[in-house]
Amino acid sequence: MENIIEENKNEEVGDFSGNYIEKFQDKNAEEFFSGPLVSWEKQGDAFLFHGQLASLEIRVIAADILKFRHGIDGYFEDDFSYAIDPTFKSEQTNYKLEDQKTAFVIKTDILKCYINKSSLQTKILNLEGTVVLEDEKGFHWQDHKHYGGNISICTRVLHQDEKFYGLGDKTGKLNLIGTKRELWGTDCYGYGNDKDPVYKNIPFYMGQHSQIGYGIFMDNTFRSFFDFGKERKTVCSYWAQGGEMRYYYIHGPKLIDVVRKYAELTGKPQLPPKWALGYHQSKWSYYPESVVRKLGDEFRSRQIPCDVIHLDIDYMDEFRCFTWDDKKFPNPKQMISDLKDQGFKTVVIIDPGIKVDKNYSVYQEGMAGDHFCKRMDGDLLKASVWPGLCHFPDFTQKKTREWWATLFDGLVEDGVDGVWNDMNEPATFEDGTFPNDVRHDFDGHPGSHRKGHNVYGSLMAQSTWAGQKQFMKNKRPFTISRSAYAGIQKHASVWTGDNIASWEHLKIANIQCQRLAASGISFAGSDVGGFIGSPDGELYTRWIQMAVFHPFFRTHSSGDHGDKEPWKFDQKYVDIVRRFIEMRYELMPYVYSVFQHHSETGIPMIRSLHLEGHIDPETFYREEEFFLGDHIMICPVSEPGKSSRKMYLTSGQWYNYWTDQLIDGGLEIKVETPLDQIPIFIRQGAIIPRQPKMQYVDEFVFETLTLECYKPATSTSSSVYEDGGDGYDYLASTGYVKKLLNSSIEDTNWIISQEIEGEFESTYQSYEIKLHGLQQLPTQIVVDNEDLTSNTNFDAGVASIIINKNFKQLIIKT
């Protein structure tokens, strides 16, 4: 099947797969340009500059965000987007237009954008005069000889020492410089590190040079390409094989600010149910019911924490979506209820292919409601996936998304807690995906599959999310999607697809999750241990150790390649794996707080070193070290047999999690990595909340939350967020509480203060304060003017004391 896919792909792009080749051989490669300015006008909040052959529209979205659209022959498409958050509103900001001799200049409080009158080429500078983005050829286009329409192109000057990041789940090096990448969602079973394209289509990248970061979001769903100096080393370019050239310029100057603003544009996720942040176990496939029940019993008897069991396609009646195989699962409702009693949630897979079967109710409804995709001449699309010949919903049609959402009533009634969308690139067995002549409604902007392909998976996930929300009453939906377009984070988590049990893929998974987070999608993970093949105990252990710090934490495997339950390995590995999964649950208050901060601000949960280091050149090419939240840095072990490894600590000082040793940052260090440890460092001054180990989220009510407090050098802020863990009560102040914790040094005193926002009542009554970084027992500890020194314990350099959860100020005198 792979060869067929490749052949079709090559045929699709044969008339334009290159970039901006200097010497064109014939008129088929002719390029067209906007030409010199003819006139200009202001329409509402938009400036329009009309050239001889094309027009440029620029809108000031915010002082640091500009929106560009290019209309060929003066024609602009409807300004329609599946990616932009419907609630997003442009900021009220100061800006003005200056008419200079050779150019117009749009000025905001942060940027200056020059529009050249002779060519409509643009250049963006900061107020200090540094050129951040500059057209080389700028916008131009070619006729698409095969399909009609235009291939819309932008070329930019690639600045010296410029770095590039983003584009979603791309393989290869984290820094994209010197590469060319393609966006065309592809079912790429067993993909390698040089495979492109892969599953997701996120046309957003970040550039950085001259200590300034910026982002470009090209909001176009056609097959797209991005070249970061591969064809011409001095040029960065991006283009789409149809549609309008529409893109947003997002100014930093820090890259983490760019990601935050991109999340404002495309949407921030709602909080998931807390259990979704626990450990998930999956396989293709767990069946029949007795196997699923035994799986749950094994986790509980072995005391390996787990919250979620996934059911793959074999739970269905001959792979018919929204059905159960009554021989394998005679009473799914009772099974799911019994699993709930053990603390397990159940997630089931749903694919887009609907079996052609006149006796199948979903097929009947789809036909009656005209919900299935059609070919160019009006015939229904038929293609094979797991059930055999199928029709496929047109998720670009609103009525179809609404219909699809209604289909989840039965699964929710059975007690299903979440839904996993697979094969939604969309993938088929014959040609890899739909033929290009398939028609899509595109919410009243009809087009072919060339236009609808890259957004298909996101719209399926959106409808799946809506269906769960509709029937789950006051519960939060949980959706997973394999394919995606920009903005998927509003509706689904993702995973990195059908990977391989290899050390190379452990490292690929690490980089992909960092890249996804930098592309707005923090709720991401990989198939731990590899979907294809069988890892040995060491590889599985090292993968678990990394994935503990990924927001989506799931082992998944192809059953015909061996089992990957944690107890399938030698006991020494089982014990280490158990301990690290327990660590995930102990750190759940931190993980949940980090997710809440992400959902509120758009700041990624997972952060590459370049997002934190910004102007530190040592971070520009680092790939394996990453942050979870503000305060924890991790560096996985990605090679076998390693008892130590090198890693880079960003500026500041860091406590070794295992030894409490305080180490200067801004340096490469060597860290010991015995099998039961990976490098974990805590930022100086951090306060990390920690709960008792549990077998599943909120297994029991505990009396005391531990706050691991690391002695600061200056003032450092941390927070602990809590709510009911599900439902929407947190949207009111009575439904959540956020504890803002400030840690500082004043003279020789270490002071920790707490401010409480919200009215939700924590179930625990006290904190155990653990003070790291002390050389000796404090001379005095005062809590809200009460001397509690006599209640303090001191062991191995860590002082501990139990205090009331509502304390306001803690003074540690040394």
Side-chain angles (χ1 to χ4, degrees), residues 58-301:
I58 301 178
R59 291 179 188 267
V60 179
I61 304 297
D64 45 15
I65 303 177
L66 301 178
K67 179 180 179 181
F68 295 80
R69 298 174 67 203
H70 293 272
I72 296 170
D73 298 323
Y75 166 75
F76 289 92
E77 295 183 357
D78 285 351
D79 195 6
F80 176 79
S81 172
Y82 282 121
I84 301 301
D85 187 348
T87 66
F88 176 80
K89 291 181 172 57
S90 298
E91 293 181 7
Q92 293 294 323
T93 189
N94 297 319
Y95 63 89
K96 61 181 179 180
L97 179 73
E98 292 183 0
D99 186 352
Q100 299 182 356
K101 184 176 181 181
T102 61
F104 288 98
V105 185
I106 298 173
K107 290 185 177 180
T108 75
D109 293 338
I110 294 174
L111 302 173
K112 293 184 289 186
C113 177
Y114 286 79
I115 303 96
N116 189 302
K117 292 181 179 179
S118 65
S119 62
L120 298 194
Q121 290 180 335
T122 60
K123 180 168 60 175
I124 298 175
L125 297 77
N126 64 10
L127 295 187
E128 289 72 40
T130 302
V131 176
V132 183
L133 196 71
E134 182 178 6
D135 280 347
E136 187 247 2
K137 290 183 179 180
F139 170 69
H140 52 291
W141 69 96
Q142 293 183 348
D143 291 334
H144 202 305
K145 302 300 182 184
H146 187 65
Y147 291 106
N150 303 293
I151 299 158
S152 297
I153 311 157
C154 273
T155 63
R156 310 291 191 198
V157 172
L158 197 160
H159 291 81
Q160 186 175 3
D161 297 323
E162 193 161 8
K163 283 75 61 180
F164 298 98
Y165 307 98
L167 286 189
D169 61 344
K170 293 300 182 187
T171 59
K173 291 187 177 300
L174 191 61
N175 189 334
L176 295 164
I177 188 69
T179 68
K180 174 185 170 186
R181 301 307 178 96
E182 179 180 352
L183 298 184
W184 184 253
T186 302
D187 177 7
C188 42
Y189 179 85
Y191 58 94
N193 202 30
D194 57 352
K195 173 65 178 175
D196 192 60
V198 286
Y199 297 98
K200 297 167 192 69
N201 315 292
I202 315 297
F204 165 70
Y205 75 86
M206 293 180 290
Q208 183 183 26
H209 65 87
S210 310
Q211 300 188 353
I212 298 171
Y214 69 92
I216 294 292
F217 170 42
M218 183 179 74
D219 192 4
N220 184 305
T221 62
F222 280 83
R223 188 192 291 260
S224 302
F225 298 83
F226 293 78
D227 188 306
F228 302 99
K230 181 174 176 61
E231 183 167 321
R232 287 194 286 152
K233 292 183 179 180
T234 58
V235 174
C236 170
S237 48
Y238 44 93
W239 67 99
Q241 292 200 332
E244 182 179 86
M245 176 55 70
R246 180 194 301 120
Y247 64 91
Y248 295 79
Y249 170 86
I250 306 170
H251 191 75
K254 293 183 178 180
L255 289 176
I256 200 163
D257 294 326
V258 176
V259 182
R260 176 180 57 80
K261 295 166 191 174
Y262 168 77
E264 293 283 346
L265 272 176
T266 58
K268 294 170 287 191
Q270 295 183 17
L271 275 173
K274 191 195 290 187
W275 58 259
L277 297 172
Y279 175 70
H280 301 234
Q281 185 70 39
S282 181
K283 185 175 84 170
W284 179 25
S285 289
Y286 289 124
Y287 70 90
E289 177 182 317
S290 59
V291 170
V292 178
R293 289 181 177 275
K294 186 174 187 297
L295 179 70
D297 292 342
E298 289 278 7
F299 271 106
R300 295 299 177 243
S301 66

Side-chain angles (χ1 to χ4, degrees), residues 467-529:
Q468 293 174 81
K469 193 171 190 297
Q470 179 177 338
F471 297 111
M472 283 183 169
K473 299 176 182 177
N474 191 38
K475 284 189 172 183
R476 304 172 195 170
F478 174 63
T479 306
I480 318 167
S481 182
R482 190 169 75 175
S483 186
Y485 185 67
I488 184 69
Q489 66 270 11
K490 296 189 292 292
H491 304 112
S493 61
V494 303
W495 88 104
T496 60
D498 295 343
N499 58 3
I500 299 172
S502 70
W503 290 94
E504 179 188 43
H505 265 267
L506 185 156
K507 186 173 180 180
I508 291 171
N510 182 5
I511 293 173
Q512 283 183 308
C513 287
Q514 292 180 53
R515 205 192 302 277
L516 283 162
S519 306
I521 309 168
S522 281
F523 202 0
S526 62
D527 286 345
V528 172

Side-chain angles (χ1 to χ4, degrees), residues 542-587:
R542 292 304 196 187
W543 209 315
I544 282 280
Q545 289 171 338
M546 173 182 72
V548 162
F549 300 96
H550 286 166
F552 180 45
F553 183 21
R554 179 181 76 161
T555 291
H556 182 45
S557 65
S558 174
D560 56 354
H561 291 96
D563 297 328
K564 294 187 183 69
E565 293 75 37
W567 52 86
K568 296 296 183 180
F569 304 93
D570 291 345
Q571 191 61 43
K572 68 175 182 178
Y573 300 116
V574 175
D575 292 340
I576 297 169
V577 165
R578 178 190 295 109
R579 181 67 200 104
F580 269 85
I581 298 177
E582 287 174 347
M583 181 190 292
R584 170 62 167 237
Y585 284 79
E586 290 170 352
L587 289 174

Side-chain angles (χ1 to χ4, degrees), residues 361-372 380 399 403:
S361 62
V362 176
Y363 174 77
Q364 293 168 350
E365 290 181 26
M367 292 293 291
D370 192 26
H371 294 302
F372 294 131
L380 288 172
K399 71 170 187 176
W403 165 70

